[in-house]
Amino acid sequence: MPAVARETTQPCPECGAEIRGDSRFTVWCAACDWNVDPGEPQPAGGRLERVERALARRHGEQLLAEMLSGREPQPRRDANAVLATALALAVHGVTLALVVGGIWGVMADWGGSPWIGFVLFALGLGLAPRPDPLPTGTPVLFRTDAPELFALVDEVAAAVGTRSVHAIAVDGSINAAVTTYGVRGRRLLVLGIPLWEVLSPEERIALLGHELAHYANGDIRNGLVVGSAVRSLALCHHALQPIEHPSAIETVVNVVYVVPRLLIRGLLVLLLRLTSRAGTRAEYLADRLAARTASTQAAVGLMDRLLIAGPIAVLLRSEVNRATLGGPRAAREAASRADELWDRLAAYAASVPEHEYERQRRAGARRGHQVDATHPPTHLRRTCLLTGTPATAALTPDPDRTARMAEELAPSRTKVAQTLLRDGLGA
Ligand SMILES: [Zn+2]
Ligand SMILES: [Zn+2]
């Protein structure tokens, strides 16, 4: 990607309208949509993720149509949610039966040896829900490390009507998320620095509002019962993947795995289908709460930034490549000036012209730009925000706090840049 923006003009090969462009971006025609979506690579991901993505898209369209026609999306606990909870409880029930049956089998010497019981016990243990640990290999901040950032998160949490978080992990993703960790289910917010750095202070409040709203909405996909069942099943599904280039014995193992793997995949797809609509609704509601917290304008601004997540990833990749292809000396030098990565990224994001945002919106409408498999397409979220009366901000950024937050985040920001420059994206 050329670093310097150059204005270009050319006639559209389809309709002849004049196209004004920027040498860094795809040239396309706003009059006839020529070249609006020149086959950008589809996000990778396994089969299950593709199912999830397609469901989020379908329900995203349905729910938006309902909202645009003045109907409120259905109540939170619909029949599907009850069914999903029942299914998840059944999964946990089987797990418990395996553990208890296994212990019993060992004690009673089923089949004349403790082995049958032991195998059942191990299977149950493998399926048992376990708390996620705190992330490693990336900075994790606690209240004392970043009092100003936590103060802002606390205020946003109060505004959306939920408890605040215990820890904030900072990583190199162009995304943000909320989750829990440890046996006590403590709350963890994950902030991707590449996204945080390109947002305005208002848009950051919108991002925090959206994420914390997921706790307030009680999103069933991440709930204690369904969420843990999905995680257990996904782990099992992963463990049962066929062994590549198998030996004779491994071929037998692969054959034995087929039926349980199909069964588990079926269960997972069923759980995804049952929870996708409620999950998509939770995303729209989270966007609405984000708008009430930070203003509709800030929430729409956040959507626009998410739309250029693709170009941002391309820029990051080219910066990382430049650092790593130049040999160890260039890499060391780049790491010593790691912070510059964020300055270049922010400058780049600020320079993206409106016609590129518009192209991403139109391309998104054709192929469905999604932040990840669980979010409805970004252009739909944007449309949803723009319907109805615009909300004013409940919280406005304080410049002093913004500066102090930047100081608190500075060491983590450097560390994340160094990790990116050393290990590349997706590490
Ligand atoms: Zn044209
Ligand atoms: Zn979300």
Side-chain angles (χ1 to χ4, degrees), residues 1 312-324 425:
M1 178 193 311
I312 287 176
V314 172
L315 178 91
L316 266 183
R317 198 160 295 132
S318 74
E319 292 282 340
V320 168
N321 284 347
R322 210 169 53 178
T324 45
L425 287 157

Side-chain angles (χ1 to χ4, degrees), residues 176 210-211 214 219 221 282-283 286-287 372 374-375 381:
H210 175 95
E211 291 307 329
H214 278 306
D219 189 344
R221 290 170 304 180
E283 295 298 345
D287 282 341
D372 52 40
T374 58
H375 284 84
R381 295 170 66 190

